[in-house]
């Protein structure tokens, strides 16, 4: 009888029945995602428990890690994501966690200038901007003792470009899985050397980046998408459509590019990922022992540096017109290795139709990748000087590690294998 009554109610109320079916299907899909995320987190926590139960030497302390958490990342969801998916894994693995919540922009830079060198790891719990601040704060320090401290990432931002390159065995589209995988990689302490881009602007301040630099129409319009948050899925398209009504956004800009060719990476600097619970790479430890008993070997290093300074650099000039300039470092992390340390430079073609501009433009930076519609130039550099004619009609910006800066002339230099970061393999 109940089934018959239900069938009649559905038949007599088709609109309500369809609406109810849609809501029920959405709720079922949402519950399934939450349940799968719960199972994945549980499995990672069980693995972390095994690591935490390992006995330590009586003179050995638990690993001390400093977590810099940006609560404003990912629309204010970062704190809840960290406490639910990352914090349990770190604590169960036996880590002594010191959590610092960032309150304002630039605070991470100040904290890194005074952070103690006796900690075992620095963890960036935020997005690409938070990581850029941490790296910039460390690179500005006058001492070099911090270089033995590895940096781990908990991907709490929206793009997480650098973390995607380091944590490759994770489902990047499902953030709970991504966060748990990154936290588990931190507990395994596998490290890899990472390049840093030193960026000097006309303002005199030096900024350091590990991911990318972009300058052009796509970058300018991406910053306006969040203003149309109330339009839901359509918010990504609105800035690109409105730009067509005001002017021709596909009109190319003239970039003045000067660069030097990439240099061969010295074998001594090119290290593979090494799993080491002490937080120090095996090659670093062997080098210290070697130079302890053969100190004369290190006397030749200053001569190498002096000789390198005497070599005259050959600069290549490349005036180019494009609607978007893009440069990225550490692209080699997605491959098996490299022979040269370089920054990859790409320029978008001038022949971009209005249809491609509106349909593909909003999604170029969406997931931290940069798939151009039609790449015009693609080359590798070691040092780079970049300038473009600024317009008085509208404000232009440069995106450095997905953070916005005022447009200006830039001088970029690659510092290879400068810091150690946690990777998945």
């Amino acid at each position: 009888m109940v089934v018959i009554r239900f069938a009649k109610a559905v038949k007599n109320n088709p609109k309500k029945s369809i609406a109810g079916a849609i809501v029920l299907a959405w709720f079922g899909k949402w519950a399934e995602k939450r349940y799968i995320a719960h199972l994945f987190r549980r499995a990672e926590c069980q693995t972390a428990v095994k690591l935490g139960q390992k006995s330590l030497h009586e003179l050995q302390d638990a690993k001390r890690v400093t977590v810099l958490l940006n609560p404003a990342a990912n629309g204010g969801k970062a704190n809840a994501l960290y406490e639910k998916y990352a914090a349990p894994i770190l604590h169960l693995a036996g880590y002594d966690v010191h959590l610092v919540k960032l309150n304002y922009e630039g605070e991470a830079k100040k904290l890194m200038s005074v952070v103690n060198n006796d900690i075992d790891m620095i963890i960036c719990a935020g997005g690409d901007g938070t990581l850029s601040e941490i790296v910039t704060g460390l690179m500005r320090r006058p001492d070099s003792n911090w270089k033995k401290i590895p940096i781990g990432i908990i991907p709490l931002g929206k793009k997480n470009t650098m973390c995607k390159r380091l944590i490759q065995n994770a489902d990047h589209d499902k953030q709970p899985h991504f966060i748990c995988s990154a936290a588990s990689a931190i507990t395994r302490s596998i490290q890899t050397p990472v390049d840093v881009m030193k960026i000097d602007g006309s303002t005199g301040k030096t900024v350091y980046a590990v991911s990318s630099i972009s300058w052009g129409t796509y970058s300018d319009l991406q910053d306006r998408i969040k203003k149309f948050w109330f339009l839901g899925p359509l918010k990504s398209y609105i800035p690109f459509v409105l730009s067509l009504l005001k002017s021709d956004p596909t009109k190319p800009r003239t970039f003045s590019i000067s660069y030097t060719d990439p240099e061969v990476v010295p074998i001594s600097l090119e290290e593979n990922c090494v799993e080491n619970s002490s937080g120090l790479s095996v090659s670093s430890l062997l080098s210290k022992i070697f130079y302890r008993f053969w100190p004369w070997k290190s006397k030749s290093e200053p001569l190498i540096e002096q000789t390198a300074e005497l070599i005259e650099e050959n600069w290549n000039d490349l005036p180019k017109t494009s609607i978007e300039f893009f440069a990225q470092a550490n692209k080699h992390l997605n491959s098996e290795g490299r022979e040269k340390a370089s920054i990859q430079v790409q320029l978008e073609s001038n022949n971009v139709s209005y249809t491609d501009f509106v349909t593909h433009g909003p999604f170029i930076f969406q997931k931290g990748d940069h798939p151009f519609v039609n790449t015009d130039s693609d080359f590798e550099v070691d040092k780079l000087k970049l300038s473009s004619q600024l317009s008085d009609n509208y404000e232009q910006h440069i995106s450095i590690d997905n953070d916005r800066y005022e447009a200006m002339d830039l001088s970029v230099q690659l510092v290879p294998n400068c810091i150690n970061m946690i990777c998945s393999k």
Side-chain angles (χ1 to χ4, degrees):
M1 293 295 294
V2 176
V3 176
I4 295 175
R5 289 178 183 177
F6 178 77
K8 288 182 178 180
V10 171
K11 182 178 180 181
N12 297 330
N13 302 278
K15 295 182 179 179
K16 293 182 179 179
S17 300
I18 293 174
I22 293 174
V23 173
L24 186 62
W26 177 87
F27 178 78
K29 189 175 181 179
W30 173 83
E32 182 184 13
K33 288 182 179 179
R34 294 292 297 269
Y35 181 66
I36 293 175
H38 167 73
L39 293 179
F40 190 83
R41 180 185 61 174
R42 181 179 178 182
E44 296 293 345
C45 286
Q46 290 175 345
T47 303
V49 168
K50 295 179 181 179
L51 294 175
Q53 290 177 344
K54 290 183 178 180
S55 58
L56 299 176
H57 190 274
E58 58 182 4
L59 298 179
Q60 186 179 3
D61 296 327
K63 284 188 178 180
R64 292 175 296 175
V65 298
T66 297
V67 179
L68 298 182
L69 172 63
N70 181 10
N74 204 351
K77 301 177 183 178
N79 187 68
L81 290 172
Y82 170 79
E83 293 294 341
K84 186 172 184 179
Y85 296 107
I89 295 176
L90 297 178
H91 288 292
L92 290 173
Y95 278 35
D96 181 7
V97 180
H98 179 213
L99 179 62
V100 179
K101 294 185 179 181
L102 305 176
N103 299 313
Y104 56 88
E105 185 177 355
E107 184 179 8
K109 298 178 187 177
K110 295 182 179 179
L111 292 174
M112 290 299 97
S113 64
V114 296
V115 69
N116 294 329
N117 296 324
D118 58 350
I119 60 175
D120 295 299
M121 188 184 301
I122 298 171
I123 299 178
C124 168
D128 294 329
T130 308
L131 177 61
S132 179
E133 283 197 16
I134 291 174
V135 173
T136 299
L138 291 172
M139 292 293 292
R140 287 178 177 176
R141 292 180 57 151
D143 65 303
S144 60
N145 296 328
W146 60 268
K147 290 188 177 181
K148 66 181 181 180
I149 306 175
I151 301 175
I153 306 176
I154 301 295
L156 302 179
K158 291 184 177 180
K159 298 177 181 177
N160 306 302
T161 306
M162 194 60 193
C163 193
K164 289 178 180 177
R165 296 177 185 174
L166 293 166
I167 312 299
Q168 300 178 16
N169 60 346
D171 191 343
H172 300 154
D173 295 328
K174 297 179 180 178
Q175 194 163 31
H177 294 64
F178 194 11
I179 294 172
C180 290
S181 298
S184 296
I186 289 174
T187 62
R188 293 192 296 270
S189 299
I190 305 176
Q191 302 176 29
T192 184
V194 170
D195 300 341
V196 174
M197 291 186 289
K198 180 182 179 183
I199 306 169
D200 293 310
S202 54
T203 58
K205 290 186 178 181
T206 301
V207 177
Y208 296 87
V210 293
S211 174
S212 63
I213 304 170
S214 59
W215 187 357
T217 305
Y218 293 144
S219 303
D220 291 338
L221 294 178
Q222 282 289 328
D223 296 329
R224 306 177 193 177
I225 290 178
K226 57 185 177 182
K227 296 181 180 179
F228 302 95
W229 59 269
F230 52 89
L231 295 177
L234 297 177
K235 64 181 181 181
S236 300
Y237 298 97
I238 299 302
F240 289 81
V241 174
L242 293 179
S243 65
L244 292 174
L245 302 177
K246 296 180 181 179
S247 60
D248 184 7
T250 61
K251 182 179 180 181
R253 306 180 185 185
T254 301
F255 290 99
S256 178
I257 304 173
S258 299
Y259 66 94
T260 61
D261 294 326
E263 299 179 356
V264 177
V265 180
I267 298 177
S268 59
L269 292 179
E270 191 68 17
E271 298 177 10
N272 296 323
C273 298
V274 178
E275 185 171 1
N276 184 9
S277 60
S278 65
L280 292 175
S281 64
V282 175
S283 60
S284 176
L285 182 60
L286 292 176
S287 298
K288 289 183 177 181
I289 297 175
F290 182 80
Y291 288 123
R292 174 66 179 86
F293 293 99
W294 289 275
W296 57 268
K297 186 68 177 178
S298 61
K299 293 181 181 180
S300 61
E301 293 181 357
L303 296 177
I304 297 176
E305 296 179 358
Q306 294 174 8
T307 305
E309 293 177 356
L310 297 176
I311 299 176
E312 184 178 356
E313 295 178 329
N314 295 321
W315 287 86
N316 305 302
D317 296 326
L318 180 66
K320 200 73 178 177
T321 57
S322 175
I323 65 173
E324 184 78 16
F325 168 90
F326 183 72
Q328 59 181 334
N330 294 302
K331 190 68 175 177
H332 67 280
L333 294 176
N334 295 332
S335 60
E336 296 180 357
R338 59 174 177 174
E339 294 181 356
K340 296 182 178 181
S342 63
I343 302 172
Q344 184 182 21
V345 176
Q346 292 176 306
L347 293 166
E348 174 70 291
S349 172
N350 298 331
N351 301 321
V352 178
S353 65
Y354 291 157
T355 303
D356 289 337
F357 178 77
V358 174
T359 55
H360 297 287
F363 306 103
I364 284 182
F365 297 98
Q366 192 176 56
K367 295 183 179 181
D369 300 323
H370 200 283
F372 275 142
V373 177
N374 186 13
T375 303
D376 181 61
S377 298
D378 189 341
F379 55 96
E380 296 181 347
V381 306
D382 175 51
K383 296 180 181 179
L384 174 72
K385 294 179 182 178
L386 175 67
S387 62
S388 178
Q389 185 177 1
L390 301 179
S391 174
D392 297 330
N393 299 329
Y394 59 93
E395 190 176 6
Q396 297 184 28
H397 293 91
I398 299 176
S399 176
I400 300 177
D401 277 0
N402 297 315
D403 250 8
R404 226 169 70 151
Y405 292 83
E406 181 183 353
M408 67 186 77
D409 296 346
L410 297 180
S411 177
V412 184
Q413 179 180 355
L414 185 70
V415 185
N417 298 333
C418 187
I419 57 178
N420 286 327
M421 300 193 72
I422 301 298
C423 63
S424 57
K425 59 181 181 179

